[in-house]
């Protein structure tokens, strides 16, 4: 890969500075999700390529939020998934990623609010990392958190983090 994870982080910060009227929130959100994804992936022993794919997806998982706010007036998860694929592909255009890896990153972004049919540990960890942050940002109650955990969480690390943080 010709560019690094840190290049993606800095590019995403610049993207939100340019595109988002809620820049600081968007930056803080993706940084927290990326951090959780990284920690869970390490603890769950993901191989380096899968971990890199996951982290690159985590950095841009909400890339469609500024567009969705303008176009739809909200950041509905399904709209994010619909709009995120092309934005992600364009964002990583100059990173020299193998096509297969770029396709997987785009797939994760386009499914990060779809909780059924999870087809790999990278997507599973993305769902868990995003929820760990969203549970706090949305001030979810213990019942909602427990329900989501029981239906969606699968990794030992993500489940332990959720339980220790919220339950």
């Amino acid at each position: 890969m010709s560019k690094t994870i840190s290049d993606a982080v800095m590019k995403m910060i610049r993207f939100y500075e340019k595109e988002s009227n809620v820049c600081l929130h968007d930056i803080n959100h993706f940084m927290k999700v990326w951090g959780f994804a990284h920690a869970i992936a390490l603890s769950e022993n993901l191989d380096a390529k899968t971990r890199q794919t996951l982290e690159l997806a985590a950095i841009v998982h909400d890339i469609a939020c500024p567009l969705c706010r303008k176009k739809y007036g909200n950041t509905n998860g399904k709209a994010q998934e619909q709009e995120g694929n092309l934005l992600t592909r364009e964002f990583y255009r100059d990173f020299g990623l193998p096509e297969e890896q770029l396709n997987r990153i785009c797939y994760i972004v386009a499914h990060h609010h779809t909780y059924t049919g999870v087809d790999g540990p990278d997507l599973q960890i993305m769902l868990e990392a995003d929820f760990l942050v969203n549970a706090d940002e949305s001030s979810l109650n213990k019942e909602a958190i427990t329900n989501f955990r029981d239906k969606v969480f699968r990794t030992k690390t993500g489940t332990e983090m959720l339980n220790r943080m919220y339950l």
Side-chain angles (χ1 to χ4, degrees):
M1 183 166 95
S2 63
K3 297 206 178 202
T4 65
I5 296 284
S6 61
D7 291 321
V9 168
M10 290 308 302
K11 185 173 181 177
M12 197 68 209
I13 290 170
R14 288 189 301 273
F15 171 85
Y16 280 132
E17 284 176 337
K18 178 182 169 202
E19 297 292 329
S20 181
N21 62 351
V22 288
C23 174
L24 187 57
H25 167 80
D26 288 343
I27 293 168
N28 284 330
H29 177 81
F30 96 77
M31 291 294 292
K32 289 184 280 187
V33 171
W34 171 53
F36 279 117
H38 176 79
I40 296 169
L42 286 175
S43 184
E44 296 291 321
N45 297 310
L46 256 63
D47 64 272
K49 182 180 178 186
T50 305
R51 191 174 69 244
Q52 180 189 57
T53 300
L54 165 63
E55 290 189 42
L56 290 170
I59 290 165
V60 299
H61 77 281
D62 279 348
I63 194 168
C65 283
L67 174 64
C68 289
R69 285 184 197 106
K70 292 174 191 166
K71 189 172 180 178
Y72 306 109
N74 63 59
T75 58
N76 173 280
K78 291 304 169 191
Q80 287 181 49
E81 289 181 337
Q82 179 182 333
E83 301 287 353
N85 184 35
L86 290 175
L87 293 169
T88 298
R89 194 164 296 282
E90 176 61 25
F91 183 90
Y92 284 123
R93 181 176 43 87
D94 64 344
F95 273 66
L97 298 170
E99 190 67 22
E100 178 183 330
Q101 185 178 31
L102 180 58
N103 288 341
R104 185 61 183 172
I105 293 165
C106 291
Y107 181 87
I108 292 168
V109 171
H111 291 83
H112 80 277
H113 285 285
T114 301
Y115 307 115
T116 58
V118 176
D119 66 350
D122 47 3
L123 178 55
Q124 180 62 47
I125 292 170
M126 179 73 242
L127 298 175
E128 293 179 13
D130 197 29
F131 186 79
L132 284 164
V133 176
N134 287 336
D136 177 53
E137 291 177 355
S138 300
S139 301
L140 296 180
N141 63 42
K142 286 187 179 191
E143 182 180 350
I145 293 169
T146 300
N147 185 43
F148 193 89
R149 179 200 63 199
D150 294 347
K151 290 182 178 176
V152 177
F153 274 61
R154 298 289 175 264
T155 71
K156 179 182 177 195
T157 306
T159 302
E160 183 174 354
M161 286 178 169
L162 184 77
N163 287 339
R164 289 183 179 274
M165 291 171 64
Y166 298 107
L167 301 174

